[in-house]
Amino acid sequence: GFRYYVVADCEFNSSKLNDIEYTQSYYYNKLEFIRFSSSVGKFVGYTEHGIKNAERWNNGPEVIARRAVKESYCLHNVGIFTESALTKS
């Protein structure tokens, strides 16, 4: 069968917004075909299909929505995680 999945993550080394990177990768049959990275600020395609989607998504509301995720999702959850880890150490 065919498998499509999306992996999103927040990588950080402090709770400061500048030290957080949000990525969202799209896979089809274990092959990553497109990725959004907050450090790049746009979608990047890795296959023919991914490149076409990246061009379309970078010119639409999708890229604006992804840029906001770093602050709305990552910053909030990194703060909770960091605070929790520090109180238990």
Side-chain angles (χ1 to χ4, degrees), residues 4-74:
Y4 167 81
Y5 57 99
V6 179
V7 176
D9 75 83
C10 304
E11 295 182 24
F12 62 97
N13 54 16
S14 83
S15 59
K16 296 177 184 172
L17 188 60
N18 291 340
D19 293 333
I20 299 171
E21 181 182 13
Y22 170 74
T23 58
Q24 186 173 38
S25 299
Y26 295 78
Y27 294 87
Y28 184 73
N29 280 354
K30 299 180 184 179
L31 177 66
E32 183 179 23
F33 65 93
I34 192 168
R35 176 189 298 172
F36 175 83
S37 169
S38 64
S39 61
V40 177
K42 65 179 184 175
F43 290 93
V44 176
Y46 300 108
T47 65
E48 183 180 342
H49 178 71
I51 291 168
K52 288 179 183 178
N53 276 306
E55 289 174 8
R56 189 169 49 88
W57 291 354
N58 286 330
N59 292 315
E62 293 86 358
V63 75
I64 296 167
R66 291 300 167 274
R67 288 177 183 157
V69 172
K70 177 180 170 179
E71 191 167 347
S72 66
Y73 178 72
C74 292

